[in-house]
Structure formats: C-alpha cells, structure tokens
Amino acid sequence: MSAVSARAEELFRVLQRVSDGAIAVRDGLIVFANAPFAALVGVEGGGLEGRPLVDLVAFRDRARVAASLVAGGGAAGDVLFDPRDGGERHAAL
C-alpha cells in the first residue's frame, strides 16, 4: 500500500468514527458520508454515496451551496438540510 493510500485509509477510518456528521464531495456528488451525517439528513443504510449534495439541501440554500461547490468546495456557512422525516436541520458546511 502506498503512503498516499495508507493516509487516505486512515482518514476514512477517522471520519467513520467521529460523532459529528462528515462528508466528502467530488464534483458535487457525495463520495463518503458517515453515519451521523446520514442521520442528520434522514437517509440510513449507505444511500448517500453518488447523490448530489444539493439534493439534500433545503431549497432556500441550494444556490449558495451549488456556488460554493463550483468555486472549489469551500465553506458554505450555515446550511439548512431538508431531511426525509419532514424536519429541518441546520449544519455548518
């Protein structure tokens, strides 16, 4: 295993264990989401990988999050997520 692969694997393990929601996004698509993030948005069982991040964001924040992703994925600030359970949840993105 290369040093880069070993480092990526260690980061993956750390993100799985943290109690805060964590995601990795590439080209606007979720490539990793830990269990706390899945619970935040109301999607359990690994159903987030491959989904566009903006699909999980409340309509009022979608344009801002999309612009942040286009600009290189920098912080979008406080974002309102629209989970499947009908509630609303804020999170820093």
Side-chain angles (χ1 to χ4, degrees):
M1 181 180 299
S2 73
V4 172
S5 294
R7 186 147 171 84
E9 180 63 30
E10 176 60 23
L11 178 59
F12 176 75
R13 285 194 303 269
V14 167
L15 290 176
Q16 284 181 314
R17 292 189 307 256
V18 296
S19 60
D20 291 331
I23 57 172
V25 178
R26 182 180 303 130
D27 298 326
L29 302 177
I30 297 171
V31 295
F32 168 81
N34 68 0
F37 183 82
L40 174 83
V41 297
V43 177
E44 302 293 334
L48 291 171
E49 287 78 12
R51 290 187 60 183
L53 175 61
V54 295
D55 286 359
L56 303 171
V57 174
F59 182 76
R60 73 170 203 188
D61 289 340
R62 283 184 186 173
R64 184 167 47 90
V65 170
S68 175
L69 291 169
V70 167
D78 184 55
V79 173
L80 181 63
F81 286 93
D82 193 11
R84 291 186 174 190
D85 66 8
E88 294 181 341
R89 301 208 177 76
H90 289 268
L93 187 63

